[in-house]
PDB file of all heavy atoms in Angstrom:
ATOM      1  N   LEU A 114      -4.638   3.420  29.783  1.00 95.00           N
ATOM      2  CA  LEU A 114      -5.168   3.157  31.119  1.00 95.00           C
ATOM      3  C   LEU A 114      -6.565   3.732  31.323  1.00 95.00           C
ATOM      4  O   LEU A 114      -7.220   3.431  32.316  1.00 95.00           O
ATOM      5  CB  LEU A 114      -4.207   3.681  32.187  1.00 95.00           C
ATOM      6  CG  LEU A 114      -2.896   2.907  32.308  1.00 95.00           C
ATOM      7  CD1 LEU A 114      -1.970   3.571  33.313  1.00 95.00           C
ATOM      8  CD2 LEU A 114      -3.130   1.452  32.681  1.00 95.00           C
ATOM      9  N   SER A 115      -7.022   4.522  30.365  1.00 93.00           N
ATOM     10  CA  SER A 115      -8.349   5.139  30.499  1.00 93.00           C
ATOM     11  C   SER A 115      -9.435   4.403  29.720  1.00 93.00           C
ATOM     12  O   SER A 115     -10.601   4.802  29.782  1.00 93.00           O
ATOM     13  CB  SER A 115      -8.285   6.600  30.040  1.00 93.00           C
ATOM     14  OG  SER A 115      -8.154   6.672  28.630  1.00 93.00           O
ATOM     15  N   ILE A 116      -9.051   3.344  28.989  1.00 92.00           N
ATOM     16  CA  ILE A 116     -10.019   2.644  28.136  1.00 92.00           C
ATOM     17  C   ILE A 116      -9.881   1.131  28.281  1.00 92.00           C
ATOM     18  O   ILE A 116      -8.801   0.630  28.582  1.00 92.00           O
ATOM     19  CB  ILE A 116      -9.835   3.023  26.645  1.00 92.00           C
ATOM     20  CG1 ILE A 116      -8.404   2.707  26.172  1.00 92.00           C
ATOM     21  CG2 ILE A 116     -10.174   4.485  26.404  1.00 92.00           C
ATOM     22  CD1 ILE A 116      -8.154   2.885  24.701  1.00 92.00           C
ATOM     23  N   PRO A 129      -2.000  -0.679  35.999  1.00 96.00           N
ATOM     24  CA  PRO A 129      -0.908  -0.164  36.837  1.00 96.00           C
ATOM     25  C   PRO A 129       0.000  -1.277  37.364  1.00 96.00           C
ATOM     26  O   PRO A 129       1.222  -1.123  37.387  1.00 96.00           O
ATOM     27  CB  PRO A 129      -1.652   0.559  37.964  1.00 96.00           C
ATOM     28  CG  PRO A 129      -2.910   1.035  37.301  1.00 96.00           C
ATOM     29  CD  PRO A 129      -3.302  -0.095  36.389  1.00 96.00           C
ATOM     30  N   SER A 153      -1.547   4.127  40.300  1.00 79.00           N
ATOM     31  CA  SER A 153      -2.981   4.460  40.330  1.00 79.00           C
ATOM     32  C   SER A 153      -3.834   3.210  40.367  1.00 79.00           C
ATOM     33  O   SER A 153      -3.406   2.127  39.970  1.00 79.00           O
ATOM     34  CB  SER A 153      -3.349   5.313  39.102  1.00 79.00           C
ATOM     35  OG  SER A 153      -3.153   4.580  37.920  1.00 79.00           O
ATOM     36  N   ALA A 154      -5.047   3.377  40.838  1.00 67.00           N
ATOM     37  CA  ALA A 154      -5.997   2.266  40.866  1.00 67.00           C
ATOM     38  C   ALA A 154      -6.512   2.046  39.459  1.00 67.00           C
ATOM     39  O   ALA A 154      -6.716   3.006  38.707  1.00 67.00           O
ATOM     40  CB  ALA A 154      -7.144   2.589  41.816  1.00 67.00           C
ATOM     41  N   PRO A 155      -6.733   0.798  39.065  1.00 56.00           N
ATOM     42  CA  PRO A 155      -7.266   0.552  37.716  1.00 56.00           C
ATOM     43  C   PRO A 155      -8.653   1.123  37.554  1.00 56.00           C
ATOM     44  O   PRO A 155      -9.438   1.176  38.497  1.00 56.00           O
ATOM     45  CB  PRO A 155      -7.276  -0.977  37.588  1.00 56.00           C
ATOM     46  CG  PRO A 155      -7.153  -1.488  38.970  1.00 56.00           C
ATOM     47  CD  PRO A 155      -6.538  -0.412  39.813  1.00 56.00           C
ATOM     48  N   LYS A 156      -8.946   1.568  36.337  1.00 55.00           N
ATOM     49  CA  LYS A 156     -10.269   2.111  36.020  1.00 55.00           C
ATOM     50  C   LYS A 156     -11.258   0.963  35.875  1.00 55.00           C
ATOM     51  O   LYS A 156     -10.929  -0.083  35.327  1.00 55.00           O
ATOM     52  CB  LYS A 156     -10.231   2.915  34.718  1.00 55.00           C
ATOM     53  CG  LYS A 156      -9.208   4.034  34.696  1.00 55.00           C
ATOM     54  CD  LYS A 156      -9.690   5.215  35.486  1.00 55.00           C
ATOM     55  CE  LYS A 156      -8.768   6.394  35.323  1.00 55.00           C
ATOM     56  NZ  LYS A 156      -7.833   6.593  36.385  1.00 55.00           N
ATOM     57  N   GLU A 157     -12.444   1.170  36.372  1.00 55.00           N
ATOM     58  CA  GLU A 157     -13.485   0.152  36.210  1.00 55.00           C
ATOM     59  C   GLU A 157     -14.121   0.295  34.842  1.00 55.00           C
ATOM     60  O   GLU A 157     -14.413   1.395  34.389  1.00 55.00           O
ATOM     61  CB  GLU A 157     -14.555   0.310  37.286  1.00 55.00           C
ATOM     62  CG  GLU A 157     -14.053  -0.056  38.674  1.00 55.00           C
ATOM     63  CD  GLU A 157     -15.166  -0.036  39.690  1.00 55.00           C
ATOM     64  OE1 GLU A 157     -16.334  -0.236  39.307  1.00 55.00           O
ATOM     65  OE2 GLU A 157     -14.862   0.201  40.872  1.00 55.00           O
ATOM     66  N   ALA A 158     -14.320  -0.822  34.170  1.00 49.00           N
ATOM     67  CA  ALA A 158     -14.983  -0.814  32.858  1.00 49.00           C
ATOM     68  C   ALA A 158     -16.448  -0.441  33.038  1.00 49.00           C
ATOM     69  O   ALA A 158     -17.092  -0.865  33.988  1.00 49.00           O
ATOM     70  CB  ALA A 158     -14.855  -2.188  32.198  1.00 49.00           C
TER      71      ALA A 158
END
Side-chain angles (χ1 to χ4, degrees):
L114 290 175
S115 72
I116 58 173
S153 64
K156 304 283 187 261
E157 291 186 26

